[in-house]
């Protein structure tokens, strides 16, 4: 990660920490709406890799604030923005789950020492890694085409569909390993899991993207799929 | 928490040309008569194909030229491997030697071993099998009991290996054996490179549920191999095997070896499939695209000299699940009779039957999940 992006992420963490209680105002004041605006138009001239990094932090820290709309600025980029939010929220759900099973004791030992719990969290971690990879690869594609969503339709469909599929698995395992405490209003898990439930259905649910993607691939033929994958990187 | 960063997959040289050349080569040289050989294709043995592939420079690509290798970058090899798998090429004969035995000999082997074995591996003529599993040591690999005692003439081996894929077609076995008397678990193990025509070795077939003879059991009855059969350091076998398993688990074969079925589904669906089939194709495509990104990033991390143990396990776990689910999901949606004489039906049948093995070979699903759990700090 570049030094500039590191600084951007540090700023985002500080601003979102404030916004978690103060609402969206600090995010607007910090100028995140200008992240993708070119420098010659008075913006920060960031790329989608920057947007992905900021949105992942937003997904983990302020999933209920409209940060995606603020940054994406055009409807066609919202599915991509939501993939980054979902990657961040899933990472947070995993981190909370790992903390919980390491500290919560039952039967005289931490939950983390039970193989059943270990296997569940491994499944969850694989899903989270998959969505993180999807968000990162989508960012690489968008930046290769000057953030033109019409030139990244294949990747947007793949990434949102994969994130949608992971959402169900990640939320259910996170809640299962947390037990009753995770189901309370007081505990922070629901902030990310309810957001994940909402995002799965927004900007294209599974069926929406599966059919669009499937028809695109069917038109290219069996060999065409591999040629598409390898020519787009 | 810092999320996963993708390692940029950036092989040197003209990669588009590498793909184009290999696709043209395959169009001429890949046997097309056996559609089922394209499914689970790294278990398809075809020595003629392997020799031709080796002669064309596509085996032993990363080995140094002085041992007959191609002096190529590991990510160039990765590109070649994924092209071969996506085409369903029968790469089984040389697969293990090219993927892990050759690199291990280069890394840990003596100069004599390198000169003796690597050129044959790079030509696609010398095949290797993996001597790890034993009747009492499956997932619990540290329970290995086959012994090798040092004598004046060399190592004297007694014991048994099992589930040895391709032993009957291989020239050498890289075996994990107990060289230190009285040692336990992961201590006292060493790796020996054993010529399989050595007297005292008996190889018996185990026919699998598909009716194929891929597996074997291999018996060692007072087998004498020369002192130079030791690979690497005596007593360091466990560490070396762990590195070998890293190579075994990180490759694109974990999600790409059944690509022929997906291609056949797409072809049989035609350009305007009904909605259920279109959605199935879309779902499988999204998973495959994601797996490819993960796999390429893992390969790039490995090529950068880092240890992607956890990432490799994630690719194996997700890739195995993808390949295991694919034929089941296809059967649930696509109308296709069990005995139909179409490519799709033959591939589907072969993969439904082969698929239980996908989450067993190379480390069971439970073992792989345990490795991931350790990476998460749970054990």
């Amino acid at each position: 990660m570049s030094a500039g992006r590191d600084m951007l992420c540090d700023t985002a963490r500080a601003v979102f920490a404030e916004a978690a209680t103060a609402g969206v105002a600090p995010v607007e004041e910090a100028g995140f709406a200008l992240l993708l605006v070119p420098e010659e138009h008075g913006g920060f001239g960031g790329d989608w890799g920057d947007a992905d990094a900021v949105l992942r932090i937003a997904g983990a820290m302020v999933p209920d604030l409209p940060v995606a709309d603020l940054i994406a600025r055009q409807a066609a980029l919202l599915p991509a923005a939501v993939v980054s939010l979902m990657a961040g929220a899933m990472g947070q759900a995993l981190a909370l789950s790992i903390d919980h099973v390491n500290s919560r004791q039952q039967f005289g030992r931490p939950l983390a020492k039970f193989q059943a719990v270990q296997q569940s969290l491994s499944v969850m971690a694989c899903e989270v890694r998959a969505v993180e990879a999807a968000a990162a690869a989508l960012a690489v594609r968008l930046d290769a085409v000057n953030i033109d969503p019409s030139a990244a339709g294949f990747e947007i469909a793949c990434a949102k569909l994969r994130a949608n599929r992971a959402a169900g698995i990640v939320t259910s395992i996170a809640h299962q390993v947390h037990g009753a405490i995770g189901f309370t209003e007081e505990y922070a898990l629901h902030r990310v899991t309810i957001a994940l439930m909402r995002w799965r259905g927004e900007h294209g649910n599974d069926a929406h993207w599966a059919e669009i993607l499937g028809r695109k691939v069917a038109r290219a033929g069996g060999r065409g799929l591999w040629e598409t994958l390898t020519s787009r990187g | 928490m810092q999320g996963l960063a993708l390692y940029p997959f950036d092989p040197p040289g003209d990669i588009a040309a590498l793909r184009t050349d290999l696709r043209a080569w395959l169009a001429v040289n890949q046997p097309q008569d056996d559609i089922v050989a394209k499914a689970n294709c790294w278990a398809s043995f075809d020595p003629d194909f392997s020799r031709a592939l080796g002669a064309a420079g596509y085996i032993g690509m990363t080995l140094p030229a002085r041992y007959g290798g191609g002096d190529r970058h590991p990510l160039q090899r990765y590109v070649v491997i994924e092209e071969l798998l996506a085409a369903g090429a029968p790469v089984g004969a040389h697969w293990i030697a090219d993927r892990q035995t050759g690199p291990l000999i280069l890394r840990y082997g003596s100069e004599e071993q390198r000169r003796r074995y690597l050129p044959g591996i790079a030509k696609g003529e010398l095949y290797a099998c993996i001597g790890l599993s034993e009747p009492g040591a499956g997932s619990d690999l540290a329970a290995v009991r086959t012994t090798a005692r040092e004598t004046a003439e060399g190592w004297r081996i007694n014991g048994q290996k099992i589930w040895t894929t391709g032993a009957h077609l291989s020239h050498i076995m890289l075996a994990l054996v107990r060289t230190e008397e009285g040692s336990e678990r992961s201590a006292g193990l060493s790796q020996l490179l054993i010529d399989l025509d050595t007297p005292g070795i008996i190889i018996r077939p185990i026919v699998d549920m598909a009716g194929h003879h891929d597996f074997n059991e291999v018996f060692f009855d007072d087998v004498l191999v020369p002192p130079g059969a030791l690979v690497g350091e005596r007593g360091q076998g466990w560490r070396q095997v762990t590195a070998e398993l890293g190579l075994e688990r990180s490759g694109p074969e974990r999600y790409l070896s059944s690509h022929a079925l997906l291609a056949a589904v797409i072809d049989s669906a035609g350009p305007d499939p009904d909605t259920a089939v279109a959605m199935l194709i879309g779902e499988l495509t999204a998973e495959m695209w994601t797996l490819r990104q993960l796999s390429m990033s893992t390969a790039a991390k490995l090529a950068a000299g880092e240890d992607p143990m956890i990432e490799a396990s994630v690719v194996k776990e997700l890739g195995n699940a993808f390949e295991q689910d694919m034929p089941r999901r296809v059967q649930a949606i696509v109308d296709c009779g069990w005995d139909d004489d179409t490519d799709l039906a033959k591939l589907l049948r072969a993969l439904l039957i082969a698929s239980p093995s996908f989450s067993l070979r190379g480390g069971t699903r439970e073992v792989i999940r345990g490795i991931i759990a350790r990476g998460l700090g749970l054990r």
Side-chain angles (χ1 to χ4, degrees), chain A residues 47-144:
Chain A
D47 61 15
W48 194 264
D50 295 325
D52 173 48
V54 169
L55 287 166
R56 286 197 204 193
I57 297 168
M61 294 180 70
V62 287
D64 39 357
L65 296 183
V67 183
D69 305 77
L70 211 59
I71 289 178
R73 302 169 61 84
Q74 52 169 311
L77 281 171
L78 281 174
V82 170
V83 170
S84 299
L85 290 174
M86 291 175 85
M90 288 182 198
Q92 177 69 3
L94 178 62
L96 287 171
S97 300
I98 290 170
D99 281 351
H100 179 73
V101 301
N102 276 325
S103 55
R104 169 74 172 164
Q105 304 239 354
Q106 286 287 275
F107 305 100
R109 49 190 172 139
L111 295 180
K113 299 303 163 197
F114 291 91
Q115 283 195 348
V117 173
Q118 292 170 2
Q119 299 267 311
S120 282
L121 280 187
S122 295
V123 171
M124 181 180 176
C126 286
E127 293 298 306
V128 177
R129 296 294 174 247
V131 177
E132 288 171 345
L138 173 55
V140 169
R141 174 65 184 182
L142 278 168
D143 284 330

Side-chain angles (χ1 to χ4, degrees), chain B residues 18-31 48-58 84 89-90:
Chain B
L18 182 62
R19 289 190 195 279
T20 310
D21 291 349
L22 177 52
R23 287 173 190 178
W25 186 88
L26 281 170
V28 176
N29 291 283
Q30 182 181 351
D48 290 338
F49 178 80
S50 290
R51 272 191 293 273
L53 193 67
Y58 293 120
L84 291 170

